[in-house]
Amino acid sequence: MNPEKKKLRMLLVDAEEGITEQFQVYLSEHPRVELVKIITNGNEVIQAIEEYTPDILIMDLLLPKGDGISLLENLSKLSLSKEPFIVITSSITLGTTVNYSFDLGVDYYIMKPYDIEHVVRRIEHILKDGNKVQKEEERIEERVSHEHALIQEVTKVLLELGMPTNVKGYQYLRDGILLAIEDISMLHYITKSVYPSIAQKYDATPGSVERAIRNAIEICFTRTRGDILYKTFGNAIDVDKGKVTNSEFIGLIADKVRVQYQMRG
């Protein structure tokens, strides 16, 4: 007779009461996963990991009394007898944050809101006999999937605005928006950061990048109906005047895409 398989031990770190309650209910009679502890603030995480030696750590990046990134940095320095399978849950879509999380040993990055049953099943599929089997290739796949989803969202918004894809400014704009999604502060230094970054990628000059983006925006405002512009930008710009700076245009679309991506995540 085969002995009963040992349950996977899960440590949940999240301050949202609704999420912790859902995990408690779903895992109360789960045959393969046991919820050993719930932590609601960052101060207790490291001690709990050392005490409970979980197989699975599910942690929100935004926590009271400590942020998730700092905790991941500290966790990577520990000499644990068994490393947990680390799942990060967050509403943060910034590529720099996602990529840095993977660099710190995160195995799975999930956008909030999410389906708890799906997440647990996904983790069970990845884990075998309580051992961590996530390969580096799978981590890379997660990154590519995240970046591809953002590119799709940006492309969709630009096409909805009637942005012509056959002008250089279209590609420059798309790259600029993606840069702004990663770090919105770059728009404060658009001539010193965004334009040079794009120019280097396409073997162009910062000045030509700026002019091409300006041209693409002007074409968009000339060809696109006012109601479509209003649907995209709302009251953030004066559609009748049709005057918007490159940084304003990039920043507004970056914010719109970031919100849409979070809602779909």
Side-chain angles (χ1 to χ4, degrees), residues 54-69:
D55 301 294
I56 306 163
L57 170 65
I58 297 184
M59 182 171 69
D60 189 3
L61 278 186
L62 303 178
L63 296 167
K65 301 180 182 179
D67 69 279
I69 290 296

Side-chain angles (χ1 to χ4, degrees), residues 166-185:
N166 61 337
V167 296
K168 287 184 179 180
Y170 168 81
Q171 188 64 58
Y172 295 166
L173 258 175
R174 191 168 70 169
D175 284 13
I177 293 165
L178 291 169
L179 287 172
I181 290 173
E182 287 197 15
D183 184 1
I184 197 68
S185 67

Side-chain angles (χ1 to χ4, degrees), residues 35-46:
L35 183 59
V36 295
K37 183 70 174 177
I38 295 175
I39 303 293
T40 58
N41 70 78
N43 286 347
E44 303 173 13
V45 175
I46 298 299

Side-chain angles (χ1 to χ4, degrees), residues 158-163 217-234 237-240 242:
L158 291 177
L159 292 179
E160 287 176 347
L161 283 171
M163 181 71 65
I217 293 173
E218 289 178 352
I219 292 174
C220 174
F221 271 74
T222 300
R223 296 181 179 180
T224 307
R225 298 198 319 266
D227 60 322
I228 296 177
L229 293 172
Y230 182 79
K231 181 181 177 182
T232 302
F233 299 111
I237 62 173
D238 190 332
V239 173
D240 294 327

Side-chain angles (χ1 to χ4, degrees), residues 8-48:
L8 297 170
R9 298 162 56 80
M10 177 187 292
L11 176 65
L12 175 63
V13 184
D14 202 303
E16 292 188 36
E17 186 175 345
I19 290 177
T20 58
E21 288 179 351
Q22 288 181 58
F23 266 106
Q24 284 180 304
V25 171
Y26 181 70
L27 295 176
S28 60
E29 297 182 1
H30 198 281
R32 287 283 292 126
V33 181
E34 175 188 6
L35 183 59
V36 295
K37 183 70 174 177
I38 295 175
I39 303 293
T40 58
N41 70 78
N43 286 347
E44 303 173 13
V45 175
I46 298 299
Q47 181 179 345

